[in-house]
Amino acid sequence: RSIDEMKRLEEMSSVFQSSGVERHSTEPKSQTEESADSGDREQPWEMVMDKKHFKLWRRPIAGTPLYQYRVFGTYTDVTPRQFFNVQLDTEYRKKWDALVIKLEVIERDAVSGSEVLHWVTHFPYPMYSRDYVYVRRYSVDQENNVMVLVSRAVEHPSVPESPEFVRVRSYESQMVIRPHKSFDENGFDYLLTYSDNPQTVFPRYCVSWMVSSGMPDFLEKLHLATLKAKNMEIKVKDYISAKPLDMGSEAKATTQSSERKKEGSHGPAQIEYA
């Protein structure tokens, strides 16, 4: 579904570019859209930010005061491969993301390539830091020229809840990347859909501030980190070339059962991404 949505957004984007029309003057009408593909229970998307390199929408999550977020963005100065690899490289993220307290792979499935990670991140003072245990899986479809990275919260016996942090138990993220040409040429579009439940109730003004400042800040940090990787200032693992069986002989095959425990979980949103 995310890939289909991305195709539609790309088509709309190309129409605006070819017509020479300012996007912000016409797009809000199109992007406060119906959710016909999603069922009657889901609310329409509302555009909340329209920047040069990305657009941000949100929609309420039923039964909660928070939102699910969606970003459609474009970069022309880095390659899809570089952008994809930077998001997957946990060691590199510790260097470019100052909010990371801990980020490590705790288990790998040699068959599917899935990885279970433990991520601890700073939250704005005076809130406690949050920690996430989540499984991620990525796919590169060379025939259809698309990359997909999916993450969601799971439980894992080796990472019990700690009194030092607030455990986020509901978290989902889907990233679709479509190159303009190829994986190794500059230029691509991406669609990111994200939600989590940070286990607290934010005042509305606080939510608005986090969206307006936290989202652009994270995307800019990610972009700058990719530029450094492109310029060979930082060596980043090539996940596209790596096969699941090359990820380590110590990998265990229990990740899939962990994934099933949390299948179908949904939750509200926060502004840091894995």
Side-chain angles (χ1 to χ4, degrees):
R1 196 174 90 186
S2 294
I3 294 175
D4 291 338
E5 289 180 354
M6 184 167 193
K7 289 179 180 178
R8 182 167 52 79
L9 288 170
E10 287 174 331
E11 290 170 358
M12 292 178 60
S13 178
S14 63
V15 168
F16 289 125
Q17 290 175 356
S18 62
S19 64
V21 176
E22 288 287 338
R23 292 187 186 184
H24 66 269
S25 64
T26 58
E27 202 165 21
K29 180 178 179 181
S30 300
Q31 293 302 335
T32 305
E33 56 192 287
E34 77 286 349
S35 53
D37 296 336
S38 306
D40 295 335
R41 290 178 297 177
E42 293 186 348
Q43 299 295 317
W45 292 100
E46 170 196 4
M47 177 176 276
V48 294
M49 192 173 296
D50 188 354
K51 298 292 185 179
K52 181 179 180 181
H53 296 297
F54 76 95
K55 299 180 186 300
L56 169 67
W57 298 267
R58 70 179 184 182
R59 65 179 175 189
I61 298 175
T64 78
L66 298 179
Y67 297 88
Q68 180 184 37
Y69 290 91
R70 184 175 72 176
V71 180
F72 177 70
T74 300
Y75 287 117
T76 58
D77 55 355
V78 292
T79 72
R81 181 188 296 267
Q82 293 156 349
F83 188 70
F84 191 69
N85 287 335
V86 166
Q87 293 198 64
L88 287 166
D89 194 316
T90 55
E91 291 303 313
Y92 184 29
R93 177 156 181 179
K94 296 174 187 178
K95 298 176 182 178
W96 63 262
D97 187 352
L99 294 179
V100 171
I101 300 172
K102 180 180 181 180
L103 180 60
E104 62 180 19
V105 177
I106 59 177
E107 186 171 336
R108 291 184 177 91
D109 179 8
V111 176
S112 69
S114 295
E115 297 177 321
V116 180
L117 295 94
H118 184 210
W119 170 38
V120 184
T121 181
H122 289 289
F123 258 51
Y125 180 83
M127 291 184 289
Y128 286 102
S129 299
R130 263 55 178 173
D131 80 325
Y132 299 69
V133 179
Y134 65 95
V135 62
R136 73 179 184 187
R137 182 180 296 183
Y138 63 91
S139 175
V140 178
D141 186 341
Q142 307 227 20
E143 182 177 349
N144 293 303
N145 206 36
V146 68
M147 308 167 175
V148 179
L149 173 61
V150 179
S151 303
R152 69 165 178 234
V154 294
E155 295 179 0
H156 196 280
S158 68
V159 192
E161 193 167 350
S162 168
E164 297 181 58
F165 315 117
V166 176
R167 174 63 52 87
V168 176
R169 298 187 178 279
S170 180
Y171 157 69
E172 288 188 351
S173 174
Q174 302 92 33
M175 168 79 81
V176 179
I177 301 172
R178 182 179 291 278
H180 292 166
K181 295 181 180 179
S182 71
F183 294 143
D184 295 303
E185 295 179 82
N186 286 353
F188 60 90
D189 299 324
Y190 68 89
L191 178 66
L192 172 64
T193 306
Y194 179 87
S195 66
D196 81 358
N197 184 352
Q199 305 296 317
T200 189
V201 177
F202 297 113
R204 288 187 178 275
Y205 73 87
C206 185
V207 174
S208 299
W209 176 84
M210 286 199 306
V211 173
S212 61
S213 63
M215 182 79 73
D217 180 62
F218 175 81
L219 292 171
E220 180 61 21
K221 287 191 296 184
L222 177 59
H223 180 221
L224 290 175
T226 307
L227 283 172
K228 286 185 177 181
K230 175 185 178 180
N231 295 332
M232 304 301 290
E233 296 175 38
I234 296 289
K235 185 177 181 180
V236 177
K237 177 179 177 180
D238 187 1
Y239 286 82
I240 297 178
S241 297
K243 298 178 182 179
L245 291 176
D246 296 332
M247 289 184 171
S249 59
E250 79 286 357
K252 301 178 183 178
T254 59
T255 303
Q256 290 175 325
S257 61
S258 297
E259 289 182 85
R260 286 193 286 269
K261 290 181 181 179
K262 278 290 184 177
E263 188 170 3
S265 64
H266 297 274
Q270 170 34 32
I271 315 300
E272 279 298 316
Y273 297 90

